[in-house]
Amino acid sequence: MTYDHLHPDFRHVMLLSDAERIEFLQQPRWISYADAQHGLDTLQSLFHAPKRPRMPNLLICAESYNGKTTLIRRFQHLCGQGYMDAQAEPVKPLLLAEAPPQAGEKEVYVCLLEQFFTPYRITDPPAKLRYQLIHLCRVCKVRMIIIDEFHSLLEGTSRQQRVVMNTLKLLCNELMIPIVCVGTQKAKQALQIDPQYASRFDVLTSVISGRPKGQASSQRIRPVRTATGS
């Protein structure tokens, strides 16, 4: 039997056993489309942006089970693979972590330090963990930080949320790299706590969050105005 009707790259699969072909079919694959490519292009633009005192940041919003994590994992595959440079020094261009289950400065440092696979003391004070994280980011030439499940940080109090946002602002200012947060529509609330947070983040929504095809959009979050005196 010939398999001329199949693409040459996949004809060898027909010679595998049933179990191997089933495993091949179940492997994850990336299928691109216009809005997903727009998301990747936006991330690429941030990734290659030159360093400056106030770096642009991004919040990617979509409802659950709509491909947010797949999008950032695809970007990690394309741009975030670690390697050794010409001086045999380790380079980790992208730091991708999942938001901690509760809001807190120390929790943010720990979830990011975990991505370096390096020893640290969880009992250390936040200032020491912050120094270690910033040092590792500089040594490994990190160019972008992505935090998935960002809406989890809303489980804390308003004060805890402010602490987390101030922590991210500090990292962005100190390292002069963009920070990308990924979450549900609920994540926008974290940017409404204070005008200074909203002004630092653009928001990207797309077809994965229910928009009609071809209507990916970027927007700026407006801070919530609190009522004062009567």
Side-chain angles (χ1 to χ4, degrees), residues 19 44 50 67-68 70 87 94 100 102 134 144 178 197 208 215 229:
Q44 286 267 13
K68 303 182 299 296
T70 300
Q87 289 73 42
L94 177 64
Q102 60 183 12
I134 291 174
M144 176 185 282
Y197 307 143
I208 58 176
Q215 293 189 16

Side-chain angles (χ1 to χ4, degrees), residues 137-152:
C137 285
R138 287 173 173 161
V139 168
C140 295
K141 301 179 177 64
V142 174
R143 300 182 61 174
M144 176 185 282
I145 294 175
I146 299 180
I147 300 179
D148 198 6
E149 303 295 336
F150 186 65
H151 51 273
S152 298

Side-chain angles (χ1 to χ4, degrees), residues 84-105:
M84 304 293 286
D85 63 14
Q87 289 73 42
E89 297 290 340
V91 177
K92 191 177 182 65
L94 177 64
L95 205 57
L96 172 58
E98 184 171 323
Q102 60 183 12
E105 179 185 12

Side-chain angles (χ1 to χ4, degrees), residues 100-203:
Q102 60 183 12
E105 179 185 12
K106 193 171 187 177
E107 285 76 7
V108 171
Y109 297 145
V110 168
C111 81
L112 294 174
L113 283 170
E114 278 290 322
Q115 310 313 309
F116 285 101
F117 302 101
T118 188
Y120 65 89
R121 287 193 180 94
I122 198 169
T123 55
D124 281 344
K128 187 170 183 179
L129 294 173
R130 182 195 315 130
Y131 170 81
Q132 185 176 5
L133 174 62
I134 291 174
H135 174 73
L136 285 171
C137 285
R138 287 173 173 161
V139 168
C140 295
K141 301 179 177 64
V142 174
R143 300 182 61 174
M144 176 185 282
I145 294 175
I146 299 180
I147 300 179
D148 198 6
E149 303 295 336
F150 186 65
H151 51 273
S152 298
L153 297 176
L154 294 175
E155 298 302 322
T157 64
S158 295
R159 179 183 177 281
Q160 289 174 315
Q161 293 172 29
R162 284 181 180 273
V163 168
V164 168
M165 295 305 297
N166 285 334
T167 299
L168 296 181
K169 184 179 72 170
L170 182 148
L171 291 175
C172 182
N173 291 342
E174 195 72 26
L175 296 169
M176 287 193 289
I177 61 174
I179 293 178
V180 177
C181 299
V182 183
T184 64
Q185 298 292 338
K186 186 180 178 182
K188 293 181 182 179
Q189 297 175 24
L191 303 186
Q192 296 174 329
I193 299 172
D194 192 294
Q196 64 174 319
Y197 307 143
S199 67
R200 286 174 173 264
F201 281 82
D202 284 327
V203 179

Side-chain angles (χ1 to χ4, degrees), residues 16-26:
L16 301 176
S17 67
D18 289 349
E20 290 171 325
R21 279 184 289 169
I22 291 173
E23 181 182 359
F24 174 81
L25 290 172
Q26 292 177 339

Side-chain angles (χ1 to χ4, degrees), residues 36-47:
Q37 189 58 51
H38 173 66
L40 291 175
D41 291 343
T42 302
L43 290 170
Q44 286 267 13
S45 178
L46 283 176
F47 186 76

